[in-house]
Amino acid sequence: MNNTRIINIKTISTEGMGDLSFFEELKDIPFEIKRIYYTYNVPVQTKRGGHAHKDLQQILFCPYGKIKVLLDNGYEKEEFTLSSPNNGLLIGNNIWRDMIWEQENSVLCVAASKLYSENDYIRDYKEFLELIRK
Ligand code: TYD
């Protein structure tokens, strides 16, 4: 799938004192960050998502826990598991996504290229397929 990919988030490890991971807009990720949000207190096996975005770039990362991300561009499907704090999943426009919480207390963090706008969402799968096949 050409507008999604896993990136390694830069990490500084300090002996006996843990790890620090970071990314910077336009340097480590290909967009400017306008919004950050995170999802937590989600029961295990819950499936969230079920939508695509018309014009939004995002990086998803899981600083704690294990979350499966199912992506679908209307032609092909791909699955990623976010279970390491230094892995990020970049997702571009017009990708249908579902996220499944696989471990208790998992946290999904997202940095996005735009402010929240409900108009940017496609929440109907048929409408999504029609849009990308145009
Ligand atoms: P949604 O993106 O559908 O969550 P998920 O993909 O995890 O299932 O958002 C859930 C609700 O939160 C929806 O009513 C929109 C609202 N919301 C905001 O108000 N601002 C935001 O930045 C986000 C991401 C969602």
Side-chain angles (χ1 to χ4, degrees):
M1 216 174 273
N2 56 18
N3 61 350
T4 67
R5 65 191 157 94
I6 285 277
I7 62 160
N8 263 327
I9 301 174
K10 284 180 187 163
T11 300
I12 307 282
S13 298
T14 308
E15 181 75 38
M17 288 173 61
D19 303 321
L20 182 157
S21 297
F22 61 93
F23 54 86
E24 296 183 348
E25 62 180 12
L26 302 178
K27 250 169 95 178
D28 304 305
I29 60 167
F31 58 86
E32 290 183 30
I33 298 167
K34 284 277 170 48
R35 175 167 53 113
I36 290 177
Y37 62 91
Y38 36 100
T39 315
Y40 51 99
N41 290 335
V42 179
V44 170
Q45 294 310 326
T46 301
K47 191 197 267 190
R48 298 187 57 113
H51 59 76
H53 288 279
K54 294 174 206 160
D55 183 19
L56 188 70
Q57 296 187 71
Q58 295 171 299
I59 176 167
L60 279 58
F61 57 104
C62 177
Y64 181 85
K66 188 174 174 193
I67 296 168
K68 195 195 278 179
V69 185
L70 311 170
L71 302 180
D72 175 357
N73 67 3
Y75 298 95
E76 45 177 343
K77 295 178 202 270
E78 260 186 87
E79 239 183 65
F80 295 95
T81 298
L82 295 175
S83 59
S84 166
N86 63 2
N87 271 175
L89 177 61
L90 288 166
I91 307 182
N93 298 335
N94 294 332
I95 305 284
W96 190 268
R97 86 283 313 269
D98 290 306
M99 295 82 71
I100 300 170
W101 261 250
E102 296 205 322
Q103 190 185 308
E104 201 158 345
N105 296 321
S106 299
V107 179
L108 180 66
C109 293
V110 181
S113 63
K114 298 246 164 113
L115 300 181
Y116 169 73
S117 162
E118 188 57 37
N119 288 335
D120 186 61
Y121 281 76
I122 310 165
R123 293 190 184 273
D124 182 280
Y125 189 71
K126 268 172 84 182
E127 195 186 311
F128 165 70
L129 289 182
E130 280 162 20
L131 188 92
I132 53 164
R133 277 158 214 277
K134 250 188 221 162

